[in-house]
Amino acid sequence: ETGVTQTPRHLVMGMTNKKSLKCEQHLGHNAMYWYKQSAKKPLELMFVYNFKEQTENNSVPSRFSPECPNSSHLFLHLHTLQPEDSALYLCASSQDATRGYGYTFGSGTRLTVV
Amino acid sequence: AQSVTQPDIHITVSEGASLELRCNYSYGATPYLFWYVQSPGQGLQLLLKYFSGDTLVQGIKGFEAEFKRSQSSFNLRKPSVHWSDAAEYFCAVAPEGNQFYFGTGTSLTVIP
């Protein structure tokens, strides 16, 4: 257990479904992140929240919608996804969103879009 | 543009042998540098990080890394590999702000 919990661990969804990924941390961190990990590609930063405010959105399609109700919880809402969105989605947290802090990652949600 | 290169996609070493995983970065100044490890089905775990000072950094699990400014490299080493070290290893750089750039990873196989 790393201190960052992601649920569900695995998710299979159709292209017309709506689902949500959940991330929770009780490390007292103030920054949370969503990353996409695809095979043989570098991790792609999707969203950054610092003190509950979104500070980064790296040109992510609108079919991905993040939500950060408080510093401990982060959601990724999914709708009308494409098969190429199948990947491992990793949540991470850090003390705050400055480069001096390393990330604590969750175990990820393995998403398959059919 | 900033980039991180891990030239070795896959490495196989014998248990007890030494290990070196390569990482090169492209950035004008010295960024913050990190190595992470990912076991199957798990997230990434921080092994070590370099900010400034002594260029040889010690991390967890017996790993160390050396920053070489002249080569823009931050290679990860371990004197004697254990079977439990089999995993995917990622180098990351943080040039400024809150943006991290990750390499594509090196997969390590350890044979008995």
Side-chain angles (χ1 to χ4, degrees), chain A residues 53-84:
Chain A
E53 298 296 320
Q54 185 176 318
T55 58
E56 290 276 344
N57 176 344
N58 277 7
S59 303
V60 180
S62 59
R63 57 185 183 270
F64 295 92
S65 175
E67 178 189 4
C68 187
N70 54 62
S71 293
S72 299
H73 294 86
L74 184 65
F75 296 89
L76 188 63
H77 303 300
L78 316 171
H79 65 97
T80 58
L81 295 191
Q82 304 300 310
E84 60 264 29

Side-chain angles (χ1 to χ4, degrees), chain B residues 2-29:
Chain B
Q2 295 84 3
S3 68
V4 182
T5 303
Q6 292 181 248
D8 304 305
I9 296 174
H10 185 236
I11 285 182
T12 300
V13 299
S14 299
E15 190 168 16
S18 63
L19 171 71
E20 182 169 29
L21 303 182
R22 296 182 290 166
C23 175
N24 294 92
Y25 64 90
S26 168
Y27 184 64

